[in-house]
Amino acid sequence: MQTVQVEYSGQIQVKKGESPKELYAHQNEAIKALNHKNESAFEGLLVLPTGGGKTLTAVHWLLRNFIDKRKKVLWIAHRHELLNQAIETIKFTAYSSVLKDSDKFNFRVISGHPKHDIPVNIKPTDDIIIASKDSLNSGLTHLLDNWVEHCDSILLVVDEAHHATAKTYRKLINAIKENFEKRQKPDAFRMLGLTATPFRSEETEAGLLKKVFPDDIIFSEHLRNLITKGILAEPVFEDLTTQLDFYNELTDKDIKAIEDFDKLPQNIAKKIAQSSIRNNQIVDHYVNNRDKYKPVLLFAIDVDHAIALNGLLKSRGVSSDFVVSKIVDIATGATISSGDNSKKIERFRNGELEVLINVEMLTEGTDLPNVQTVFLTRPTTSKILMTQMIGRALRGQKAGGTEKAYVVSFIDKWEDRISWVNPEKLHLEDDAEFVDRDIQTVKKIARLISIDKMEEFARIMDDSIDTTGLEKLDFLKRVPVGIYRFSILEPSESDEPTPKNYTVLVYSDTDEIYNNFVNDLEAILNTVNIEDREILTDKELEYLLQIAIDNYFLDHKFLIGYRDRDIENILRYYAQKQIKPEFIPFAEKNKCDIYKVARHIYDNDLGERAKTEYINSLWSAEQSFWQVIFDYNLLYFCKQLDIEIYKIKGLYGNLDLSRPTVIPDEVPLANLTLEQIGEKDPEEYRKIVDTVYERATDDWDFITCARSGFKSKTRINFQIDHITPMSKGGLTTLENLQVLSRKAHKEKTRLENLEK
């Protein structure tokens, strides 16, 4: 029978010598912690930030402690890029300094990708299987019968472990654990989750993640610590908007292909590559900031783009070159050499080249410690690719790199039709610790809010759109009290789920509504039978949306910020995870009262020069939120400020909207109504509400009315009320609050009115 060689399975022969990749101190500390935990069965997490080397750390550890001891390893992830990254790291680390007692081991890579294997080919002799969780779930019988049954012990590694809360992950994990329990070998199963995403709160996804990984975090290192230690450079993000507009050029098919395969349509790629205006903008920006940026690694769209940029750079006296994986001669169709890439890379490494342009290369594996800046002239929908691109510049001084690294993005106009990865937002996600209340943390929350508010500000700036109704609202009414933030694994044509982040803005008039809706999600989802599925059908989603509108959002047409798609995304998230999305309060909202700024300008009759100085001082102040709220666009800030000044003067919309100066009293929080507390301190409001409801909820999740004894699992049937009314001296304290059914509350209110 004729045979062919394949890349997705085979044998790795251990090479004699030292592993070329030396581990950093934090990676060795992680391995020590893992060694200690491995003294008995465990299910825990390794948390290292992007650039912290979690894949290399895990591979070093499992090769020494499992593969070298003839124990089996199953590595699962949700994307084939992650699988490729894992197997390449394993091949790169298979040295005798790591594997002292083994000279070879067998591997198999499985996913829906055509370059990977399928579950039916799994063999008992496979030592390590690297697979997508969806492929293994669809071929679960083959995995269990052909492999797990024959294993005396297994280490299960879950890459991007924060996604392991999804139903399909838990189904796979439980099936393997149950197999060992059935064979009375519960101690033979170990599980290690890898993630860069820090925990944000115990009440939400972290709570469920702890159920999946009951041993919690085995070792963690925060991004800020690695920057402080000089292992990673401090990234400086810069965005430059180009003049290219693709809004009307993308078909629905194009959008689907881009988001599924991260590949631009040929006509769009050609337009970007051949745009002399855009290319000159890129080159001009480098030349004008040459001393600050060099040396630069530039990621281009395609070969034509690389050649065009290289020509422009050389014409401006810049020493540059390009490397590409291959060039195809259009006339003959034959693949010709792109030149000696290694020599070009060496010239760049030695400082002979200021700029090295590359296409589909140098995202990982190549040692380039001297990179000061990356120019991102190609957009991507792949978080992994974006991480690899910006990671080329993030090597810190202790790792032979730089103290600061510049990440410069050239952004075309797509009008939000494509979910391109934002490098700064990606970095913020790794650096997010929302349990902290320091100024930088709150600014991160404000930044997330501002990204979603840009559509509103853009409408205000566009004089062709009537936004009078929106502008008449007090600015603070248009600042969210907080956000729901969550990630959904989305299905795609490439047979691989793709994680997408969603943000739902919550305003003062929707806070209580959303809180009730989110807390009732379990009961709402129980009205449809999705069993083991985690993807809702269009019909189910339409039905559930209508339930939400009818029971919670009846006035949705008049609610600030309401969008059907936000409700649908929360429903889809709950179907996948069975947990409430995380709510992040914007506790510093009241510091963003632009009316007070306008009032100061008006009352002090500031002239143009004094007004400009005052605005600039506010804009650049370290403790200010104005820049993040207005997405670092001073023009938007000034526009909104002018509107507020016009209101004070009574010149806006022919209405007298001026207000006298008011010096407010300081009063205890307990003297305010719940609604007023929600306005002043949304975080405290939610704590009070949740505590009162938890107190009224039994072990079976039934909420009980304090007066009538009525029981229900949904908050929509209840409301919180004072035991002693505030009109009689009652305070808004936990001791004076109770849960009443809406009927009981109505009756209580009727009796109180009769007493008056």
Side-chain angles (χ1 to χ4, degrees):
M1 182 183 293
Q2 185 179 1
T3 60
V4 295
Q5 289 187 334
V6 293
E7 295 181 1
Y8 52 69
S9 66
Q11 185 182 90
I12 296 175
Q13 296 187 340
V14 177
K15 187 174 182 180
K16 291 193 179 298
E18 290 289 327
S19 172
K21 194 73 173 178
E22 187 177 343
L23 298 182
Y24 294 114
H26 71 279
Q27 293 172 305
N28 284 318
E29 288 171 18
I31 286 175
K32 286 178 185 177
L34 291 170
N35 287 339
H36 178 71
K37 200 70 180 177
N38 193 37
E39 291 174 3
S40 58
F42 71 86
E43 297 166 42
L45 291 156
L46 172 62
V47 181
L48 292 178
T50 300
K54 58 182 176 295
T55 303
L56 181 63
T57 304
V59 166
H60 255 268
W61 181 71
L62 69 85
L63 288 179
R64 281 185 194 275
N65 292 276
F66 291 86
I67 298 300
D68 201 34
K69 293 179 172 31
R70 307 296 189 272
K71 296 178 180 180
K72 305 288 189 177
V73 176
L74 174 61
W75 183 301
I76 61 173
H78 63 277
R79 287 180 64 80
H80 69 81
E81 294 165 297
L82 290 169
L83 306 179
N84 290 338
Q85 188 178 69
I87 189 60
E88 288 305 313
T89 305
I90 289 166
K91 291 175 182 177
F92 186 69
T93 315
Y95 283 80
S96 59
S97 62
V98 178
L99 294 137
K100 298 183 184 299
D101 299 322
S102 299
D103 56 5
K104 59 182 179 298
F105 58 92
N106 299 321
F107 75 94
R108 190 175 306 277
V109 184
I110 296 170
S111 81
H113 193 275
K115 290 187 178 180
H116 292 162
D117 208 351
I118 55 178
V120 70
N121 292 325
I122 292 174
K123 296 177 181 178
T125 52
D126 293 335
D127 294 304
I128 182 165
I129 295 175
I130 302 102
S132 74
K133 55 100 179 177
D134 284 338
S135 290
L136 288 186
N137 266 312
S138 62
L140 190 54
T141 302
H142 301 295
L143 176 71
L144 297 175
D145 294 347
N146 296 355
W147 196 67
V148 176
E149 267 308 322
H150 304 272
C151 295
D152 292 327
S153 66
I154 282 179
L155 169 69
L156 172 58
V157 180
V158 183
D159 205 351
E160 300 284 294
H162 48 283
H163 293 303
T165 52
K167 270 186 188 177
T168 45
Y169 270 107
R170 284 181 280 148
K171 177 186 174 185
L172 179 59
I173 293 167
N174 290 335
I176 297 171
K177 288 173 69 175
E178 287 167 7
N179 182 279
F180 280 104
E181 289 167 2
K182 182 184 69 177
R183 291 190 283 143
Q184 298 183 334
K185 291 184 175 182
D187 294 337
F189 175 81
R190 284 156 169 75
M191 181 165 65
L192 177 64
L194 310 178
T195 182
T197 304
F199 288 160
R200 297 188 180 88
S201 72
E202 281 300 322
E203 294 80 28
T204 57
E205 190 148 3
L208 183 54
L209 197 59
K210 193 169 180 179
K211 290 180 182 177
V212 179
F213 297 93
D215 288 298
D216 210 346
I217 298 175
I218 298 169
F219 180 86
S220 68
E221 180 66 279
H222 193 258
L223 177 64
R224 184 53 46 189
N225 291 339
L226 295 185
I227 292 173
T228 302
K229 291 175 181 177
I231 294 170
L232 294 180
E234 180 81 57
V236 179
F237 295 95
E238 298 178 0
D239 293 345
L240 281 88
T241 304
T242 74
Q243 300 305 309
L244 289 191
D245 189 345
F246 300 106
Y247 180 74
N248 294 316
E249 297 187 38
L250 291 173
T251 65
D252 290 340
K253 186 177 179 182
D254 289 338
I255 294 170
K256 191 71 176 168
I258 291 171
E259 294 193 337
D260 283 350
F261 302 104
D262 193 34
K263 190 168 181 64
L264 288 170
Q266 192 172 359
N267 62 314
I268 300 293
K270 185 176 181 180
K271 183 173 180 179
I272 294 176
Q274 295 182 353
S275 171
S276 59
I277 295 175
R278 187 181 191 271
N279 290 343
N280 274 292
Q281 182 182 3
I282 293 167
V283 172
D284 286 345
H285 187 68
Y286 172 71
V287 171
N288 294 336
N289 299 276
R290 199 168 183 171
D291 292 336
K292 172 175 141 181
Y293 288 148
K294 67 180 180 181
V296 173
L297 184 60
L298 188 153
F299 291 92
I301 295 283
D302 55 21
V303 175
D304 291 340
H305 194 211
I307 293 171
L309 287 171
N310 190 48
L312 279 173
L313 285 164
K314 286 185 177 249
S315 71
R316 300 289 296 275
V318 176
S319 57
S320 67
D321 213 328
F322 64 93
V323 290
V324 295
S325 55
K326 63 180 180 179
I327 299 178
V328 177
D329 190 312
I330 298 175
T332 65
T335 300
I336 59 176
S337 171
S338 63
D340 191 347
N341 284 335
S342 60
K343 286 185 179 179
K344 294 178 182 179
I345 293 169
E346 192 60 31
R347 288 184 65 209
F348 180 68
R349 188 183 286 121
N350 293 337
E352 297 172 41
L353 296 177
E354 291 181 45
V355 180
L356 184 61
I357 308 163
N358 81 98
V359 180
E360 297 179 353
M361 287 187 69
L362 305 182
T363 52
E364 58 180 329
T366 306
D367 190 27
L368 294 172
N370 60 324
V371 174
Q372 173 74 39
T373 305
V374 291
F375 270 29
L376 306 176
T377 72
R378 60 149 296 175
T380 180
T381 59
S382 168
K383 277 190 173 185
I384 296 170
L385 179 58
M386 179 60 75
T387 298
Q388 291 170 342
M389 289 194 295
I390 66 176
R392 303 313 301 167
L394 292 185
R395 178 175 288 196
Q397 287 178 310
K398 281 193 178 176
T402 58
E403 181 182 359
K404 287 186 177 181
Y406 296 94
V407 179
V408 185
S409 301
F410 294 86
I411 302 169
D412 306 305
K413 296 179 182 178
W414 305 84
E415 300 297 333
D416 296 327
R417 296 195 74 190
I418 305 291
S419 300
W420 300 120
V421 177
N422 179 311
E424 183 174 10
K425 195 171 180 181
L426 180 65
H427 182 75
L428 286 179
E429 287 169 3
D430 276 356
D431 199 23
E433 285 191 7
F434 295 115
V435 291
D436 294 338
R437 292 297 302 273
D438 58 56
I439 193 74
Q440 291 305 320
T441 296
V442 181
K443 280 192 175 185
K444 288 167 190 171
I445 300 169
R447 173 71 171 153
L448 290 168
I449 287 173
S450 75
I451 289 168
D452 282 306
K453 283 182 64 65
M454 287 312 298
E455 182 180 346
E456 173 192 314
F457 292 132
R459 293 206 317 273
I460 291 175
M461 292 297 296
D462 189 344
D463 294 333
S464 67
I465 300 173
D466 182 11
T467 57
T468 308
L470 184 67
E471 292 167 11
K472 283 180 181 176
L473 285 173
D474 285 345
F475 181 75
L476 270 187
K477 277 279 187 183
R478 289 187 267 130
V479 177
V481 299
I483 58 174
Y484 285 105
R485 186 164 175 248
F486 50 91
S487 176
I488 300 176
L489 283 173
E490 300 279 18
S492 69
E493 289 179 359
S494 62
D495 195 35
E496 288 191 342
T498 303
K500 289 189 180 177
N501 291 327
Y502 292 95
T503 303
V504 176
L505 274 64
V506 179
Y507 297 83
S508 55
D509 63 345
T510 58
D511 192 15
E512 183 180 2
I513 300 171
Y514 266 112
N515 199 19
N516 287 336
F517 166 63
V518 166
N519 278 282
D520 291 347
L521 280 169
E522 182 179 1
I524 295 169
L525 266 291
N526 282 341
T527 61
V528 296
N529 183 20
I530 65 172
E531 298 176 338
D532 288 335
R533 287 186 293 115
E534 57 185 32
I535 305 296
L536 294 167
T537 65
D538 290 343
K539 191 173 182 180
E540 287 169 340
L541 196 56
E542 183 182 353
Y543 171 75
L544 293 172
L545 173 63
Q546 197 57 52
I547 287 179
I549 291 173
D550 291 344
N551 289 281
Y552 301 88
F553 299 94
L554 265 176
D555 298 325
H556 61 283
K557 293 181 180 177
F558 308 102
L559 296 174
I560 298 175
Y562 173 87
R563 300 182 301 185
D564 281 355
R565 68 174 179 269
D566 287 341
I567 307 304
E568 290 174 344
N569 287 336
I570 290 174
L571 289 165
R572 292 193 304 118
Y573 173 77
Y574 192 85
Q576 190 172 102
K577 300 292 184 76
Q578 292 87 53
I579 51 174
K580 298 182 294 184
E582 176 190 19
F583 180 77
I584 306 170
F586 183 37
E588 309 295 327
K589 169 185 171 179
N590 289 319
K591 292 185 179 178
C592 301
D593 191 351
I594 203 167
Y595 170 80
K596 291 180 180 178
V597 179
R599 187 86 238 179
H600 176 84
I601 293 171
Y602 179 76
D603 289 346
N604 292 280
D605 196 22
L606 297 184
E608 284 305 311
R609 177 177 292 181
K611 176 183 172 184
T612 300
E613 289 177 355
Y614 176 58
I615 290 172
N616 285 336
S617 69
L618 291 175
W619 186 253
S620 58
E622 185 179 347
Q623 301 294 314
S624 169
F625 293 96
W626 297 120
Q627 289 192 25
V628 284
I629 283 292
F630 285 92
D631 205 37
Y632 299 90
N633 192 316
L634 181 60
L635 184 61
Y636 288 150
F637 177 54
C638 293
K639 171 77 174 183
Q640 186 61 47
L641 189 55
D642 285 342
I643 290 172
E644 294 298 318
I645 293 171
Y646 284 139
K647 288 180 184 179
I648 292 169
K649 291 178 178 179
L651 300 174
Y652 192 80
N654 298 319
L655 294 174
D656 184 5
L657 297 175
S658 60
R659 292 182 281 178
T661 301
V662 176
I663 302 175
D665 283 337
E666 295 281 339
V667 298
L669 209 61
N671 287 18
L672 304 179
T673 65
L674 260 181
E675 183 180 358
Q676 289 169 333
I677 291 174
E679 281 283 342
K680 299 294 183 183
D681 191 339
E683 186 173 20
E684 184 62 25
Y685 164 80
R686 285 188 171 247
K687 283 181 183 177
I688 293 171
V689 168
D690 289 343
T691 302
V692 175
Y693 270 113
E694 284 169 13
R695 200 169 56 191
T697 304
D698 61 24
D699 293 339
W700 295 274
D701 295 329
F702 280 101
I703 304 167
T704 303
C705 171
R707 287 174 69 94
S708 67
F710 168 79
K711 293 178 181 288
S712 173
K713 288 189 175 183
T714 55
R715 289 191 185 184
I716 193 64
N717 294 317
F718 300 93
Q719 63 188 90
I720 293 176
D721 185 58
H722 290 76
I723 298 171
T724 301
M726 298 194 79
S727 60
K728 293 185 178 181
L731 299 176
T732 306
T733 60
L734 291 175
E735 297 76 21
N736 193 43
L737 294 173
Q738 61 186 344
V739 175
L740 298 182
S741 69
R742 295 195 177 273
K743 183 178 179 182
H745 180 265
K746 188 176 181 181
E747 178 62 18
K748 177 175 177 283
T749 304
R750 186 184 70 81
L751 293 173
E752 287 173 351
N753 289 335
L754 286 175
E755 290 176 8
K756 293 178 183 178

